[in-house]
Amino acid sequence: MFEDVQGLSPERAARLALLVAQCEPLLDQDEGMEHAQRLLRDLGAGVMDSILVTRALLGAGPGELGELGEAESAVLSSNARTTELPARRPLVDVIAQAQDVADGLLRPARTPGGTRILAIDGTGGSGKTTLAAAVAGVLDGAAIVHVDDFYRPMPDGERERLDAEQGYHHYFDWERLRDQVLIPLRDERVARYRIYDWTTGRLGARREIAPGAAVIVEGVYAARPELAHYYHFTAYVDTPRDVCLRRVRARGENGEEWIRRWRAAEEHYLRTTWPQSRADLMVRGY
C-alpha cells in the first residue's frame, strides 16, 4: 500500500499499512471517519502519519504522497484533534510546508546519484530548524546538517572586528561545509566532519553521514552562491524581520551589540545575493 511512496522506509510503510487495516472496519459505522481519527490518536499516530493513513482510507492509490488536502482537512477538523491542534496551528502549517519541501526534493534529480541534498535557508529566528525537523520526519529521518556546526573558530577580538561583509564571509566556514559534506555526498562518498563546540569555541565531536538518502543542510547562508549548485532543491523561510528579532532576543544567548552585528551580516547577505529569488520554494514563516 505504501511500499512505493517516495521518502518512506519499509518499516514506516508497514506501520502505516497496519494503521489503515485497523481503521478500515470503523468506516462502516456511523461517523466512521471520526472513530478512525480517535483510534489513530489513541494509538499514538502523529498528525502527519494520521494524514497519510486518512489519505489511504479515502481511497487514494499507491505512488507519491501527492495532494493531501482532503485527508488533511479530515484530520484537522476531527474532534479527536481539536483539543491539541488549536494551540499547535503553526506546527500543523509547518507539516504542510514540510510536505511541499519534501515533494520538491523528490522530483527527478538534476544530477545522477542516489543522494538528494536539500538546503533550507533563512535568517536567524526564521524557523529553519523547525522546518528541517519536520521535513526529516516526512522523509523518515533524513540526516540534518546544521550550518551552525561550521561556525569558524577564531579569537573573539578578531571576530568582533569584522564588518557586515566580512562577517558574511567569515562567521561560518562554508569552505569546510563544501569540502567535507557537499562534495563527498555529491560524489556518493561518506561525509566526515567535526562539529563546532559552542562551549569551548573549538571543533569537537566527529560525525559521518553515509550517501544514498536525503540530507538536509539548514542554516543562514546555507544557499550562498558558492554552494547553491550542490543542492537538488532549495527552500527559503521568509519570516518578518521583526518576528525573527523577537525570537533571537528571547533565546537570551547574545547581547544587543552582537545581535546588531549578526543581523548586519545577514542584511548584507540578503541585499547582495538575494537567496529568496534563487530558492526553488519560498516558505512563509510565522
Side-chain angles (χ1 to χ4, degrees):
M1 179 179 296
F2 294 95
E3 293 82 357
D4 297 327
V5 177
Q6 295 186 41
L8 296 183
S9 68
E11 295 77 14
R12 189 179 180 194
R15 184 170 67 251
L16 293 174
L18 176 60
L19 290 172
V20 171
Q22 291 174 294
C23 290
E24 278 181 327
L26 300 176
L27 299 182
D28 294 332
Q29 305 176 14
D30 291 338
E31 298 184 356
M33 183 58 73
E34 183 62 33
H35 289 298
Q37 297 305 320
R38 189 173 296 112
L39 177 61
L40 288 171
R41 179 201 63 193
D42 293 344
L43 291 174
V47 173
M48 191 64 217
D49 280 359
S50 294
I51 292 173
L52 295 177
V53 170
T54 301
R55 181 176 180 274
L57 293 174
L58 291 172
E64 295 190 4
L65 298 181
E67 293 295 329
L68 301 173
E70 185 178 358
E72 180 179 314
S73 297
V75 173
L76 303 187
S77 63
S78 166
N79 290 331
R81 298 284 180 179
T82 53
T83 58
E84 58 177 304
L85 289 177
R88 298 172 58 198
R89 183 68 223 183
L91 174 59
V92 173
D93 292 338
V94 167
I95 290 173
Q97 292 168 341
Q99 185 62 59
D100 291 338
V101 175
D103 286 344
L105 181 65
L106 295 175
R107 289 173 190 149
R110 298 174 184 168
T111 56
T115 306
R116 310 285 287 163
I117 310 176
L118 162 70
I120 299 181
D121 203 340
T123 58
S126 60
K128 304 177 299 300
T129 305
T130 299
L131 178 61
V135 174
V138 172
L139 296 175
D140 206 23
I144 300 177
V145 176
H146 302 286
V147 175
D148 281 356
D149 291 341
F150 293 84
Y151 200 58
R152 192 188 301 271
M154 69 173 68
D156 290 341
E158 181 179 344
R159 185 178 288 110
E160 291 169 0
R161 286 192 293 270
L162 300 178
D163 61 22
E165 181 178 1
Q166 293 168 334
Y168 159 57
H169 287 295
H170 297 293
Y171 285 154
F172 291 97
D173 193 344
W174 62 268
E175 297 97 336
R176 190 164 67 88
L177 173 60
R178 177 197 62 196
D179 296 343
Q180 298 180 1
V181 175
L182 299 180
I183 290 178
L185 291 175
R186 178 201 63 184
D187 296 341
E188 300 299 328
R189 295 185 285 112
V190 175
R192 296 182 175 90
Y193 64 97
R194 295 177 67 187
I195 296 172
Y196 179 82
D197 187 325
W198 290 82
T199 301
T200 65
R202 300 175 180 177
L203 298 184
R206 299 180 184 274
R207 187 186 184 197
E208 293 187 358
I209 299 176
V215 177
I216 303 166
V217 180
E218 72 84 20
V220 63
Y221 312 133
R224 58 185 299 141
E226 298 91 342
L227 304 179
H229 64 283
Y230 292 102
Y231 300 116
H232 295 90
F233 195 80
T234 302
Y236 184 88
V237 183
D238 189 27
T239 303
R241 291 291 276 154
D242 60 327
V243 174
C244 294
L245 179 59
R246 288 200 300 271
R247 289 176 178 168
V248 170
R249 285 172 169 165
R251 292 171 183 170
E253 298 172 347
N254 303 107
E256 285 296 317
E257 175 59 21
W258 177 246
I259 291 174
R260 183 192 66 78
R261 295 173 64 84
W262 178 266
R263 284 169 62 87
E266 289 182 336
E267 291 293 346
H268 175 84
Y269 174 54
L270 298 179
R271 186 175 64 254
T272 60
T273 78
W274 282 92
Q276 309 96 316
S277 66
R278 295 184 285 105
D280 296 301
L281 179 67
M282 286 280 287
V283 177
R284 180 170 62 91
Y286 296 89

